Amino acid sequence: MGFPLSHYCCFLCVIVLLPVLCKCEDTFTYSRAAYYGSPDGLGTPTGACGFGEYGRSVNGGKVAAASRLYRDGTGCGACYQVRCKMPNLCADDGTKVVVTDHGQGDHTDFILSPRGFSMLARPNMAADLIPYGVVGIEYRRVPCQYPGSNIFFKVHEHSRFPDYLAIVMLYQAGLRDITAVDIWKEDSQAWRGMRNSYGAVWDMPNPPKGPVNLRFEVSGRGGQEWVQLMNVIPSDWKAGVAYDSLFQLDY
């Protein structure tokens, strides 16, 4: 028995689009999560990513230390949807956390801030979930979203004007990782790579004088590309100050 032409067209569309649809669908990874102590329930400003106060309060304090997902600092700032696996206690969608630190627990991929761990629970059931300490979870990476915010380049507190410059990028949206950062040297007309000091901190001794022109490499599902930003940090930069790049990554 034959099929109408429209049926063949629909079948062809399914065959062509199915790999694309499958590729776009993120799968969850099973693991475990614990939480660390914090008097205010937020993160810590002394995390291994070098975020400082941002690492304590970003995303409403729903942050996490990661073990293998830390990836030598490349994973700093990545966002994950995390949900626990006890139906009577755990919220269906779980919560979104931002990686701001490195830490290992009892076969865990995440050690959450108290606020992040509490948000795994159903409404008004956090007090029942907290005593478990460690719970089974599933997680997947999701885009970071900071509506109305650009990427900020923060001059790290350890910087010393004008002899040593260290920077860390804040409010990076999307799914991509920053894998390299360069500074433009006007005298040699060439880009010079910054060192990944630790976590999300990039540094350089004796940086070029004048306004700082940067480019950074981002990698993700779409491959790798360089983003170039001119005069993103002023010539009289100051340690501890965050400068608005007027730019944000897409998803």
Side-chain angles (χ1 to χ4, degrees), residues 18-40:
L18 185 58
V20 176
L21 293 174
C22 291
K23 184 177 181 180
C24 292
E25 182 180 358
D26 293 329
T27 57
F28 283 88
T29 299
Y30 291 92
S31 185
R32 285 154 56 88
Y35 70 94
Y36 56 84
S38 171
D40 56 10

Side-chain angles (χ1 to χ4, degrees), residues 76-147:
C76 289
C79 294
Y80 292 88
Q81 179 187 0
V82 182
R83 57 193 189 192
C84 58
K85 300 299 294 176
M86 291 182 286
N88 293 333
L89 286 177
C90 299
D92 293 340
D93 293 332
T95 189
K96 182 176 77 173
V97 297
V98 182
V99 173
T100 60
D101 201 355
H102 176 261
Q104 295 179 316
D106 181 14
H107 301 287
T108 61
D109 273 317
F110 296 101
I111 304 178
L112 305 177
S113 65
R115 184 167 296 185
F117 194 86
S118 296
M119 293 299 294
L120 296 176
R122 292 183 179 276
N124 303 315
M125 300 194 73
D128 297 313
L129 183 65
I130 289 289
Y132 281 88
V134 180
V135 294
I137 61 163
E138 57 183 13
Y139 69 86
R140 63 179 177 180
R141 188 165 180 185
V142 295
C144 293
Q145 297 175 315
Y146 303 107

Side-chain angles (χ1 to χ4, degrees), residues 14-244:
V14 170
I15 295 299
V16 171
L17 293 176
L18 185 58
V20 176
L21 293 174
C22 291
K23 184 177 181 180
C24 292
E25 182 180 358
D26 293 329
T27 57
F28 283 88
T29 299
Y30 291 92
S31 185
R32 285 154 56 88
Y35 70 94
Y36 56 84
S38 171
D40 56 10
L42 304 178
T44 171
T46 58
C49 289
F51 286 141
E53 182 63 23
Y54 171 91
R56 190 183 79 88
S57 57
V58 67
N59 192 41
K62 297 186 290 292
V63 298
S67 51
R68 62 191 179 92
L69 297 172
Y70 178 76
R71 293 178 286 130
D72 294 324
T74 303
C76 289
C79 294
Y80 292 88
Q81 179 187 0
V82 182
R83 57 193 189 192
C84 58
K85 300 299 294 176
M86 291 182 286
N88 293 333
L89 286 177
C90 299
D92 293 340
D93 293 332
T95 189
K96 182 176 77 173
V97 297
V98 182
V99 173
T100 60
D101 201 355
H102 176 261
Q104 295 179 316
D106 181 14
H107 301 287
T108 61
D109 273 317
F110 296 101
I111 304 178
L112 305 177
S113 65
R115 184 167 296 185
F117 194 86
S118 296
M119 293 299 294
L120 296 176
R122 292 183 179 276
N124 303 315
M125 300 194 73
D128 297 313
L129 183 65
I130 289 289
Y132 281 88
V134 180
V135 294
I137 61 163
E138 57 183 13
Y139 69 86
R140 63 179 177 180
R141 188 165 180 185
V142 295
C144 293
Q145 297 175 315
Y146 303 107
S149 292
N150 300 314
I151 292 176
F152 275 71
F153 288 89
K154 180 185 176 183
V155 178
H156 198 274
E157 287 83 356
H158 292 164
S159 299
R160 299 183 304 275
F161 182 85
D163 301 319
Y164 172 71
L165 174 64
I167 63 171
V168 59
M169 282 171 257
L170 312 178
Y171 300 109
Q172 176 194 336
L175 281 166
R176 295 184 287 178
D177 300 320
I178 293 175
T179 53
V181 181
D182 292 349
I183 283 184
W184 176 254
K185 293 198 69 179
E186 187 66 28
D187 56 355
S188 60
Q189 293 290 292
W191 291 101
R192 179 182 171 191
M194 301 186 78
R195 179 183 68 138
N196 186 201
S197 175
Y198 72 95
V201 180
W202 300 83
D203 69 353
M204 175 181 287
N206 302 312
K209 303 297 187 293
V212 178
N213 302 321
L214 290 174
R215 70 174 186 177
F216 56 95
E217 184 182 48
V218 292
S219 64
R221 294 176 179 176
Q224 296 178 314
E225 65 175 305
W226 285 92
V227 177
Q228 182 175 316
L229 299 174
M230 307 302 288
N231 302 328
V232 71
I233 298 175
S235 58
D236 58 345
W237 50 264
K238 294 177 175 59
V241 177
Y243 298 97
D244 190 342

